C-alpha cells in the first residue's frame, strides 16, 4: 500500500502541484517567522551580553524622595550616587574598577533643522576615557573624544543622519532651549537603542552632569571585578554601602538574565503575531488540500474499488491516502522551509531599511524551527486528507465500479447544515453581546465570537452557495448566454467543492474587510477628534513631551499674524468615595481663561466662565454625569502631589476633546504640578497660517529641535499614518492567505476540467467552440471567486460593526463608516482573481482533443 501511495504521488504530479504550493507557502511563512525571531533574538542577546561583558555589579540611582515625584524644577535630576560612593566601592576586595555613568536624552537638529532619531531613543551619555584617552565602549572612527564644555561626539549613524562632519557645529536640545557644541569625534556603537533608529551624543562627564544631574552626581556605577570573583557576594558588599532607598545594586548575572527574559518577551510578542497570520495561511491551505484529495479520490474510485476487491482493507486504504498526504506534506515542507529561510533574511533586510536597526548577526536555524516547520506542514496535510481518506475507505467496490462519482448524501448535508447553523448562531449571539461592550479588555471575547461566526459560515458555505451562485449565474446567463448558464450549473453541481474553494478566499477577505472597515472608521473618528471643537490653526508641543517653558507663550503671542495663544497644562486627581459611589480619577487642565474661547469652540451649558475665573472648575457634561456632579457642588479631591483641596463646580460645558473632562485657570493647577511646564500651546492666527508664520513661531520659541508646530492637517496625516501602517501591515500578512486561496481556485478548476473531460468533448462535438469552452471555465472561476468575495466582505462588515464598540473605547467619536471605494476594489480584485485563476485550466480545457475526450472514461 505504501508503494501504491508513492506511485499515486508520482502519477499525479501536475494535479498535486498546486496543493504542494499551498502547503509550501504556509510552511514558508511559519519557518520564516521562527528563523527571523531566533536570528534577531540571538543578535540582540549577543549585543546586550557584549554591553554587560565586564559588569560584575550595577548600582543604579533611585529618584531622590526630597526632590518630589518628578524631575527637579530646573529639569535636572538629583541622585545619591557621587564620587565618594564610587571611591568606597572601588576600595572593596576584588573590585578592579568603577565606571560612573551619566545618561540623558538629546535631540539633534538634522538637515532643514528637522529633528533626527526616534524620540525616546535619542540617548546622551558621558564619554569616559581611559589612560589611552579612549573610551573602550565607543571606539573612535574619526577625531577624538569630547574633553571640554563646548565639545561633543556622535555615533557614526547619528552624524550621518544629521549631515555633520568633525569640526561642524551641532545644534541640539535636552529639555527645550537650543544648545550648540562643536563635533570633535565620531564613534561606533552596537547599542540596540541606537541601531534601532535612535541617536547617540557623548559629552565629557562634567558637561553631562551639568545638563542632566548636578555636579559630582551619577546615574549608575558599573563595577568591574577580578576573574573568579563571586558576583553575588560582591553585590551584597556593595549593597551594604548604599544609602537606604536611594540606590539599588544588582549583579551582572541578574542583569543578563533579566535582559534575556525581556528579549524573549519582545520576540515572543512579534513571533506570536506573525505565527497567527501563518496559522491563517495554513488554515486556508486546509481547504485546498481537502478539496484536492476529495477530487482525486473521486477520480480514482475505480482504482480504489479494485484494491478493495483484491483484498485491501478499509484501514489500508485510509493509510494509503494518509501516506500519500504525508509524503506530499514532507516534500512541500522541505521546500517551504528553504523558502522560509530566504523570507527571514528578506524580512530582516526590509525592516532594517525601514528603521528597525537590528544588530548584526548570523542567520540562526535552530533544530526546533526545523522540526516545527516540517511537523506543521506534514500534520496539516495529513489532517486535511483524513476525511477524504475515510470517504475512500467507505466506497463499496461494486458501487465504485459502476459509477465515477456519487453525489453527497442528503443526510450528511442536513447534519452539516444543522451543525453550521448552531455554531453560526452561537457566534452571532456572542458578537451581538460584544456590540454592547465598551472596554478594550473584552477583545478576547470578540475574537472568540469572530472565530465561532467564521467557522459556522464555513460549515454553512455549501448551503449559502446555492442562492449566491444562482444569483451570480443569472447575471452570467443574461450576459453570456449558454456559456454563462453552463458555468453556473458547473459551480452548483458540487456545492461542497464550490464552498470549500470559495471559503479559502472568504477567510482572507473577511479579515481584510474587517480590518479595513475598523481602520477607516477609526481614522474618521480620529479626524473628528482632531477637528472637534478646535478653531486654533496650530498645535505646538515637544516631540519628547518634556513640555514648554510657560515664559515662551507670551513671545508667540507677539508674533505678527498671531491672534491668540492658549497654553494647556494639567494634573491628575482622585475623588473621595461617597454614599453609593466609589472613588474615581480625573484630569484637570489649566489654561488661560481669557484666551481658551478663541482657540476652541467652548459651549458653556450651565454656570459661567466668570465663576471659573473666580476659582472654580468647569466640568464636561459626560464628566459631570460620570462623577455625579452638578453646578454649585463642592468636591473633595486629592491631587497627584498628595495635596488635598475642595473644588467648586462652577460651570458645565459640552464635551470638548481639547479640554477633556475638566478645566480651570492656571492659578488653580500650577501649585500641583511636578514640573512647571506647558503640555502644549494652541495658536490662532489671523489668516489661517502659512509656512513663513510657522518659522516665525519656531523662532519665537527658540527654534529647538524638540518643537513640533503642527496644523490640523498635519495632525490628521500623522494619525492617519499610524492607522494606515497597521492596516497595510495586515494587508501584507494576510496577502499570503489570499495567494493560497487563488492557488486553490486554480487547483479546483484544473481538476474539475480533468473530471469533466468527456463532458467537454461532448460540448465540443455538438458545436461549442474552443472560445466558448474557455469562456465557460473563466465564468465558473469568476462565479466561485465572487461567491467567496461577497461572503467574506459581508461577514467582515458584520464583525467590524459588532466589534466597533471596543474601538469606541479609544475613540469617543467612533461610528462605523464603510469605505465603499475599498470594498468595491475588493470585489474587483475577486473578479480579476477569477479571470487570472482560470487562464491555465481554460486553456487546457479548450485544447482537449474532441474525439479522445468523448472516448475517455
Amino acid at each position: 500500500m505504501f508503494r501504491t501511495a508513492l506511485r499515486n504521488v508520482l502519477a499525479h504530479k501536475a494535479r498535486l502541484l498546486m496543493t504542494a504550493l499551498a502547503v509550501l507557502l504556509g510552511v514558508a511563512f511559519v519557518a520564516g517567522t521562527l528563523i527571523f525571531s531566533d536570528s534577531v533574538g540571538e543578535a540582540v542577546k549577543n549585543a546586550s551580553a557584549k554591553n554587560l561583558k565586564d559588569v560584575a555589579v550595577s548600582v543604579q540611582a533611585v529618584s531622590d524622595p526630597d526632590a518630589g515625584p518628578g524631575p527637579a524644577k530646573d529639569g535636572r535630576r538629583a541622585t545619591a550616587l557621587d564620587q565618594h560612593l564610587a571611591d568606597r566601592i572601588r576600595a572593596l576586595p576584588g573590585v578592579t574598577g568603577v565606571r560612573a555613568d551619566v545618561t540623558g536624552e538629546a535631540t539633534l537638529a538634522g538637515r532643514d533643522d528637522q529633528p533626527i532619531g526616534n524620540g525616546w531613543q535619542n540617548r546622551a551619555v558621558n564619554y569616559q576615557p581611559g589612560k589611552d584617552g579612549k573610551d573602550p565602549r565607543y571606539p573612535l572612527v574619526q577625531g577624538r573624544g569630547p574633553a571640554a564644555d563646548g565639545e561633543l561626539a556622535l555615533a557614526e549613524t547619528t552624524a550621518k543622519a544629521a549631515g555633520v562632519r568633525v569640526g561642524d557645529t551641532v545644534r541640539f536640545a535636552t529639555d527645550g532651549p537650543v544648545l550648540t557644541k562643536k563635533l570633535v569625534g565620531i564613534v561606533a556603537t552596537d547599542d540596540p537603542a541606537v541601531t534601532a533608529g535612535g541617536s547617540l551624543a557623548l559629552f565629557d562627564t562634567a558637561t553631562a552632569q551639568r545638563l542632566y544631574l548636578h555636579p559630582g552626581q551619577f546615574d549608575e556605577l558599573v563595577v568591574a571585578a577580578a576573574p573568579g570573583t563571586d558576583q553575588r557576594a560582591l553585590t551584597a558588599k556593595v549593597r551594604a554601602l548604599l544609602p537606604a532607598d536611594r540606590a539599588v545594586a544588582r549583579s551582572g548575572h541578574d542583569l543578563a538574565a533579566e535582559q534575556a527574559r525581556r528579549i524573549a518577551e519582545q520576540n515572543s510578542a512579534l513571533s506570536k503575531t506573525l505565527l497567527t497570520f501563518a496559522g491563517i495561511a495554513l488554515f486556508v491551505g486546509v481547504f485546498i488540500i481537502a478539496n484536492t484529495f476529495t477530487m482525486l479520490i473521486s477520480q480514482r474510485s475505480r482504482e480504489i474499488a479494485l484494491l478493495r476487491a483484491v483484498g485491501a482493507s478499509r484501514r489500508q486504504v485510509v493509510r494509503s491516502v494518509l501516506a500519500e498526504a504525508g509524503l506530499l506534506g514532507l516534500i512541500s515542507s522541505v521546500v517551504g522551509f528553504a523558502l522560509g529561510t530566504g523570507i527571514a533574511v528578506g524580512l530582516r533586510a526590509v525592516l532594517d531599511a525601514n528603521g528597525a536597526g537590528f544588530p548584526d548577526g548570523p542567520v540562526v536555524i535552530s533544530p526546533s524551527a526545523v522540526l516545527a516547520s516540517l511537523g506543521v506542514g506534514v500534520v496539516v496535510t495529513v489532517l486535511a486528507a483524513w476525511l477524504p481518506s475515510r470517504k475512500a475507505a467507505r466506497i463499496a467496490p461494486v458501487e465504485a465500479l459502476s459509477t465515477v462519482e456519487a453525489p453527497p448524501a442528503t443526510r450528511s448535508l442536513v447534519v452539516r447544515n444543522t451543525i453550521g447553523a448552531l455554531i453560526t448562531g452561537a457566534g452571532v449571539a456572542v458578537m451581538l453581546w460584544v456590540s454592547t461592550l465598551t472596554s478594550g479588555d473584552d477583545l478576547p471575547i470578540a475574537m472568540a465570537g469572530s472565530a465561532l461566526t467564521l467557522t459556522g459560515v464555513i460549515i454553512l458555505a455549501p448551503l449559502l452557495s446555492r442562492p449566491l451562485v444562482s444569483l451570480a449565474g443569472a447575471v452570467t446567463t443574461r450576459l453570456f448566454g449558454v456559456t454563462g448558464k453552463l458555468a453556473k450549473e458547473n459551480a452548483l453541481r458540487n456545492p461542497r467543492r464550490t464552498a470549500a474553494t470559495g471559503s479559502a478566499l472568504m477567510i482572507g477577505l473577511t479579515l481584510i474587510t474587517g480590518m479595513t472597515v475598523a481602520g477607516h472608521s477609526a481614522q474618521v473618528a480620529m479626524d473628528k477628534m482632531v477637528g472637534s471643537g478646535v478653531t486654533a490653526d496650530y498645535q505646538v508641543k515637544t516631540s519628547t513631551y518634556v513640555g514648554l517653558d510657560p515664559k515662551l507663550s507670551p513671545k508667540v503671542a507677539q508674533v505678527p499674524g498671531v491672534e491668540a495663544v492658549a497654553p494647556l497644562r494639567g494634573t491628575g486627581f482622585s475623588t473621595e468615595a461617597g454614599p453609593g459611589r466609589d472613588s474615581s480619577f480625573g484630569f484637570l487642565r489649566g489654561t488661560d481663561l481669557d484666551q481658551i474661547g478663541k482657540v476652541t469652540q467652548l459651549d458653556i451649558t450651565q454656570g459661567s466662565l466668570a465663576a471659573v475665573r473666580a476659582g472654580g472648575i468647569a466640568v464636561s457634561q459626560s464628566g459631570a454625569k460620570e462623577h455625579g456632579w452638578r453646578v454649585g457642588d463642592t468636591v473633595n479631591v486629592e491631587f497627584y502631589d498628595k495635596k488635598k483641596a475642595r473644588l467648586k463646580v462652577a460651570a458645565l460645558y459640552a464635551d470638548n476633546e481639547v479640554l477633556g473632562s475638566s478645566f480651570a485657570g492656571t492659578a488653580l493647577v500650577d501649585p500641583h504640578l511636578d514640573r512647571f511646564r506647558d503640555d502644549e500651546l494652541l495658536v490662532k492666527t489671523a489668516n489661517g497660517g502659512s509656512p513663513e508664520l510657522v518659522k516665525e513661531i519656531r523662532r519665537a520659541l527658540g527654534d529647538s529641535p524638540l518643537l513640533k508646530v503642527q496644523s490640523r492637517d498635519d495632525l490628521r496625516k500623522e494619525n492617519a499614518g499610524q492607522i494606515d501602517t497597521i492596516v497595510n501591515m495586515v494587508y501584507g500578512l494576510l496577502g499570503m492567505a489570499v495567494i493560497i486561496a487563488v492557488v486553490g481556485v486554480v487547483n479546483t478548476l484544473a481538476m474539475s476540467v480533468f473530471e469533466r473531460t468527456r463532458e467537454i468533448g461532448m460540448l465540443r462535438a455538438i458545436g461549442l467552440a474552443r472560445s466558448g469552452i474557455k469562456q465557460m471555465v473563466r465564468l465558473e472561476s469568476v462565479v466561485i471567486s465572487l461567491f467567496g468575495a461577497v461572503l467574506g466582505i459581508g461577514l467582515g462588515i458584520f464583525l467590524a460593526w459588532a466589534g466597533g464598540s471596543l474601538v469606541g473605547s479609544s475613540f469617543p467619536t467612533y461610528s462605523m463608516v464603510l469605505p465603499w471605494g475599498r470594498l468595491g476594489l475588493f470585489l474587483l480584485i475577486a473578479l480579476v482573481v477569477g479571470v487570472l485563476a482560470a487562464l491555465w485550466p481554460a486553456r487546457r480545457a479548450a485544447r482537449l482533443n474532441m474525439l479522445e475526450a468523448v472516448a475517455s472514461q
Side-chain angles (χ1 to χ4, degrees):
M1 294 303 291
F2 178 76
R3 286 197 298 270
T4 301
L6 181 61
R7 181 184 61 81
N8 284 329
V9 171
L10 297 176
H12 303 107
K13 293 186 291 293
R15 303 186 208 175
L16 292 173
L17 178 62
M18 293 298 178
T19 303
L21 185 58
V23 179
L24 183 153
L25 291 174
V27 171
F29 209 153
V30 173
T33 298
L34 294 175
I35 295 172
F36 169 78
S37 178
D38 289 343
S39 300
V40 171
E42 188 66 21
V44 175
K45 184 178 178 181
N46 290 339
S48 300
K50 185 177 180 180
N51 290 335
L52 294 173
K53 180 181 178 182
D54 298 321
V55 179
V57 181
S58 171
V59 180
Q60 295 181 337
V62 175
S63 297
D64 185 354
D66 297 330
K73 296 296 182 182
D74 62 359
R76 296 185 294 173
R77 304 182 302 275
T79 77
L81 305 186
D82 54 22
Q83 191 61 52
H84 176 64
L85 178 61
D87 292 339
R88 293 178 63 194
I89 294 175
R90 190 177 287 108
L92 290 175
V95 174
T96 58
V98 176
R99 189 181 77 230
D101 292 345
V102 180
T103 59
E105 295 173 6
T107 302
L108 280 70
R111 299 178 178 89
D112 301 325
D113 289 330
Q114 295 301 311
I116 65 169
N118 190 14
W120 299 104
Q121 293 176 308
N122 294 335
R123 300 190 62 223
V125 299
N126 60 321
Y127 189 81
Q128 301 177 59
K131 294 180 180 180
D132 58 355
K134 299 178 182 179
D135 189 333
R137 296 176 300 164
Y138 304 109
L140 284 166
V141 177
Q142 294 180 38
R144 58 177 177 82
D149 179 58
E151 300 176 347
L152 86 164
L154 297 177
E156 192 171 11
T157 54
T158 305
K160 183 178 180 181
V164 293
R165 296 177 295 181
V166 172
D168 290 348
T169 298
V170 178
R171 297 175 65 250
F172 69 97
T174 58
D175 64 350
V178 177
L179 303 172
T180 59
K181 295 189 185 296
K182 181 180 179 181
L183 180 62
V184 297
I186 295 177
V187 303
T189 180
D190 54 5
D191 186 333
V194 180
T195 58
S199 63
L200 176 66
L202 299 103
F203 308 99
D204 67 282
T205 298
T207 300
Q209 289 173 333
R210 194 158 43 249
L211 288 173
Y212 304 108
L213 299 174
H214 294 280
Q217 294 184 351
F218 305 98
D219 287 302
E220 182 180 14
L221 300 177
V222 179
V223 182
T229 302
D230 186 335
Q231 287 191 3
R232 296 191 183 279
L234 180 58
T235 302
K237 294 178 182 179
V238 171
R239 196 173 287 136
L241 300 177
L242 303 181
D245 302 325
R246 301 289 305 280
V248 294
R250 303 184 65 184
S251 69
H253 291 320
D254 290 343
L255 288 174
E258 181 183 351
Q259 281 197 356
R261 179 186 58 79
R262 189 164 57 246
I263 292 168
E265 289 178 354
Q266 292 172 349
N267 283 343
S268 175
L270 178 60
S271 297
K272 287 178 181 178
T273 300
L274 294 174
L275 286 174
T276 297
F277 289 97
I280 293 171
L282 285 169
F283 184 57
V284 170
V286 166
F287 290 90
I288 299 171
I289 299 166
N291 228 9
T292 301
F293 276 94
T294 298
M295 296 173 74
L296 282 175
I297 286 166
S298 295
Q299 294 166 17
R300 284 166 28 205
S301 56
R302 186 184 298 273
E303 174 188 323
I304 294 172
L306 287 173
L307 288 174
R308 295 278 285 114
V310 297
S313 66
R314 291 188 174 185
R315 288 186 177 180
Q316 285 179 311
V317 171
V318 170
R319 286 198 293 266
S320 174
V321 175
L322 294 183
E324 185 178 342
L327 188 59
L328 175 68
L330 181 60
I331 295 172
S332 303
S333 298
V334 170
V335 179
F337 185 83
L339 178 61
T341 304
I343 289 176
V345 175
L347 180 61
R348 184 169 178 176
V350 169
L351 292 177
D352 277 337
N354 285 276
F358 296 116
D360 293 332
V363 175
V364 177
I365 301 178
S366 64
S368 60
V370 177
L371 294 176
S373 301
L374 298 183
V376 164
V378 173
V379 169
V380 165
T381 309
V382 170
L383 286 178
W386 182 69
L387 285 177
S389 72
R390 289 179 58 83
K391 179 183 177 182
R394 286 198 302 267
I395 294 176
V398 174
E399 180 185 353
L401 288 171
S402 62
T403 183
V404 175
E405 181 181 4
T410 304
R411 182 181 177 185
S412 65
L413 287 175
V414 170
V415 172
R416 174 173 178 155
N417 292 338
T418 302
I419 295 173
L422 290 174
I423 295 177
T424 304
V428 170
V430 172
M431 293 310 296
L432 291 177
W433 176 42
V434 167
S435 68
T436 66
L437 304 177
T438 57
S439 172
D441 296 335
D442 296 317
L443 182 60
I445 300 175
M447 294 177 66
S450 300
L452 269 177
T453 306
L454 184 59
T455 302
V457 171
I458 290 171
I459 297 173
L460 279 178
L463 179 65
L464 297 174
S465 68
R466 286 198 171 277
L468 292 177
V469 170
S470 296
L471 181 62
V475 176
T476 59
T477 301
R478 178 174 292 273
L479 294 177
F480 301 98
V482 66
T483 55
K485 185 175 182 180
L486 287 171
K488 180 192 75 171
E489 294 301 328
N490 288 335
L492 289 174
R493 178 181 301 181
N494 191 329
R496 288 170 178 255
R497 181 186 304 165
T498 299
T501 306
S503 293
L505 186 60
M506 179 198 73
I507 295 168
L509 282 178
T510 296
L511 299 174
I512 288 175
T513 300
M515 286 298 302
T516 299
V517 173
H520 179 73
S521 301
Q523 181 57 59
V524 172
M526 190 172 287
D527 286 347
K528 290 179 181 178
M529 287 176 61
V530 171
S532 175
V534 179
T535 58
D537 296 298
Y538 294 106
Q539 178 195 72
V540 183
K541 59 183 179 181
T542 57
S543 59
T544 55
Y545 305 99
V546 296
L548 297 160
D549 188 340
K551 296 178 182 178
L552 296 175
S553 57
K555 295 183 179 180
V556 177
Q558 295 173 3
V559 173
V562 172
E563 286 190 345
V565 178
L568 290 174
R569 46 186 182 262
T571 184
F573 64 83
S574 61
T575 63
E576 294 181 353
R581 186 178 69 248
D582 295 332
S583 61
S584 59
F585 296 91
F587 192 83
L588 181 65
R589 286 191 180 277
T591 187
D592 185 334
L593 299 177
D594 294 327
Q595 299 291 318
I596 190 64
K598 301 176 183 179
V599 297
T600 183
Q601 295 173 357
L602 180 58
D603 182 11
I604 301 293
T605 58
Q606 294 183 42
S608 68
L609 198 58
V612 180
R613 289 191 183 96
I617 66 170
V619 182
S620 69
Q621 290 179 328
S622 61
K625 182 179 180 181
E626 178 184 353
H627 294 289
W629 295 343
R630 294 178 296 181
V631 172
D633 287 351
T634 300
V635 294
N636 296 318
V637 302
E638 181 179 323
F639 289 99
Y640 283 180
D641 62 354
K642 304 302 181 183
K643 295 178 182 178
K644 296 183 178 181
R646 291 173 60 82
L647 303 178
K648 183 178 180 179
V649 179
L652 298 184
Y653 60 93
D655 288 2
N656 185 303
E657 293 298 326
V658 174
L659 296 171
S661 60
S662 60
F663 73 90
T666 54
L668 182 60
V669 173
D670 290 350
H672 305 286
L673 295 178
D674 296 334
R675 192 176 183 189
F676 190 48
R677 289 282 175 132
D678 288 328
D679 297 326
E680 61 184 84
L681 300 178
L682 295 178
V683 181
K684 175 68 175 175
T685 65
N687 300 312
S690 65
E692 291 73 22
L693 185 56
V694 170
K695 292 180 180 179
E696 291 298 324
I697 292 173
R698 291 187 64 92
R699 191 173 294 116
L701 293 170
D703 204 14
S704 169
L706 296 175
L707 287 176
K708 294 176 69 175
V709 182
Q710 296 175 293
S711 66
R712 279 177 283 180
D713 286 340
D714 293 333
L715 292 171
R716 286 191 182 98
K717 291 176 182 177
E718 182 178 74
N719 295 329
Q722 296 171 359
I723 294 177
D724 286 345
T725 298
I726 295 173
V727 173
N728 290 335
M729 182 185 71
V730 172
Y731 283 174
L733 294 173
L734 288 175
M736 185 73 75
V738 175
I739 291 173
I740 293 175
V742 173
V743 169
V745 177
V746 176
N747 204 23
T748 298
L749 289 174
M751 300 189 73
S752 180
V753 167
F754 177 84
E755 195 174 76
R756 302 201 309 263
T757 298
R758 182 167 182 168
E759 176 186 320
I760 292 171
M762 292 296 294
L763 289 172
R764 292 278 290 115
I766 62 176
L768 190 61
R770 293 181 186 273
S771 59
I773 296 294
K774 288 183 178 181
Q775 189 176 77
M776 178 187 70
V777 176
R778 281 197 297 267
L779 290 175
E780 180 182 353
S781 176
V782 168
V783 166
I784 293 174
S785 297
L786 288 178
F787 161 67
V790 169
L791 210 56
I793 292 172
L795 186 56
I797 292 173
F798 169 73
L799 296 179
W801 167 81
S805 60
L806 304 184
V807 182
S809 63
S810 301
F811 303 100
T813 56
Y814 181 90
S815 62
M816 190 176 81
V817 180
L818 295 179
W820 293 108
R822 291 194 184 185
L823 298 181
L825 179 61
F826 294 161
L827 277 176
L828 180 62
I829 290 173
L831 181 65
V832 172
V833 163
V835 173
L836 295 179
L839 288 178
W840 176 60
R843 179 179 173 83
R844 184 172 181 272
R847 295 179 64 183
L848 289 174
N849 182 282
M850 184 190 313
L851 296 178
E852 291 179 358
V854 171
S856 67
Q857 296 293 327

